[in-house]
Amino acid sequence: DAKTTQPTSMDCAEGRAANLPCNHSTISGNEYVYWYRQIHSQGPQYIIHGLKNNETNEMASLIITEDRKSSTLILPHATLRDTAVYYCIVRVATNAGGTSYGKLTFGQGTILTVHP
Amino acid sequence: DSGVTQTPKHLITATGQRVTLRCSPRSGDLSVYWYQQSLDQGLQFLIQYYNGEERAKGNILERFSAQQFPDLHSELNLSSLELGDSALYFCASSVYSDTGVGYTFGSGTRLTVV
């Protein structure tokens, strides 16, 4: 699975958009980008995933560059409850027959702090 | 409530002891994953089961073992406990066996070894 690089921490004002970058310059053609977040001491929560097209759901938007070497998770109107560690993960969509199957490897992530 | 139930929520035990952590997956999910989260190591993948069979293994210690039962609940057994085993242990479940989509995590079991 491709390695990802994220900033250690970021700040955002409440009500503003939070843009969390992720670099994955060694991503392969069959690897997806997944985003999860973990609010303090809770279990991680799935946010969104994508291959190459931009994706949007009720939680966030995912913008993937045309060369797929980086992506940005956008929380359009951040609230205090969005304060969490955000993990960007890259892996193949399916790995049947491989050795990692459904395994997700979490890095250190980005600590997002939303301020009033 | 995520639908994944972990018990107990907190556990305090002495070094050398053995404990069992339990996980009930979300209804309809066949895969169960166990993760360990300590302050200095972050979230570490331990093991995955799918419909009763082991499917993927991470850096799980030999003192640790797990199984998934016919009713799909899973147990993580930790033996000969050491101080360094103190951590949050998360269980997650998903419908599929081999994608990264749609993991649902439980609220975790906080294990303290004294």
Side-chain angles (χ1 to χ4, degrees):
Chain A
D1 296 339
K3 180 182 169 62
T4 61
T5 304
Q6 298 179 252
T8 302
S9 63
M10 294 184 65
D11 291 333
C12 177
E14 189 177 21
R16 304 298 294 270
N19 298 288
L20 294 98
C22 180
N23 183 285
H24 32 78
S25 59
T26 61
I27 192 169
S28 300
N30 63 345
E31 289 182 316
Y32 279 63
V33 180
Y34 300 85
W35 283 85
Y36 280 75
R37 73 178 182 183
Q38 185 176 22
I39 297 170
H40 181 62
S41 293
Q42 297 181 20
Q45 176 188 25
Y46 166 79
I47 301 173
I48 199 167
H49 76 285
L51 181 63
K52 54 183 178 181
N53 297 320
N54 298 337
E55 302 287 344
T56 296
N57 63 21
E58 66 279 2
M59 288 184 68
S61 295
L62 174 60
I63 308 298
I64 302 175
T65 58
E66 193 168 340
D67 64 6
R68 303 207 324 118
K69 293 185 176 183
S70 66
S71 61
T72 302
L73 178 75
I74 301 173
L75 307 179
H77 305 287
T79 71
L80 298 179
R81 288 184 295 180
D82 291 321
T83 292
V85 180
Y86 287 77
Y87 298 97
C88 169
I89 302 166
V90 171
R91 60 152 280 158
V92 293
T94 62
N95 197 26
T99 58
S100 59
Y101 285 94
K103 172 185 174 183
L104 278 177
T105 301
F106 291 81
Q108 295 305 306
T110 296
I111 302 170
L112 174 69
T113 304
V114 181
H115 297 286
Chain B
D1 181 9
S2 67
V4 176
T5 303
Q6 289 189 248
T7 56
K9 291 192 185 305
H10 301 276
L11 197 51
I12 301 175
T13 190
T15 54
Q17 294 298 305
R18 172 190 169 94
V19 298
T20 297
L21 311 184
R22 181 186 169 102
C23 170
S24 294
R26 201 178 54 161
S27 178
D29 287 356
L30 299 177
S31 269
V32 169
Y33 313 82
W34 286 98
Y35 281 80
Q36 178 192 55
Q37 187 171 36
S38 55
L39 280 175
D40 57 345
Q41 291 291 323
L43 271 163
Q44 300 290 314
F45 171 76
L46 295 178
I47 199 164
Q48 176 197 359
Y49 281 84
Y50 178 75
N51 204 21
E53 295 186 3
E54 182 184 305
R55 281 295 173 92
K57 216 167 184 176
N59 294 325
I60 187 168
L61 299 173
E62 285 191 10
R63 300 183 286 108
F64 295 2
S65 65
Q67 56 184 324
Q68 186 180 28
F69 295 87
D71 67 353
L72 301 177
H73 91 272
S74 177
E75 293 181 355
L76 179 67
N77 300 296
L78 316 176
S79 61
S80 303
L81 285 167
E82 303 174 358
L83 296 178
D85 298 327
S86 295
L88 264 171
Y89 291 84
F90 288 106
C91 167
S93 72
S94 69
V95 171
Y96 305 106
S97 69
D98 60 357
T99 83
V101 176
Y103 271 37
T104 301
F105 280 81
S107 56
T109 293
R110 183 175 294 280
L111 173 66
T112 303
V113 183
V114 296

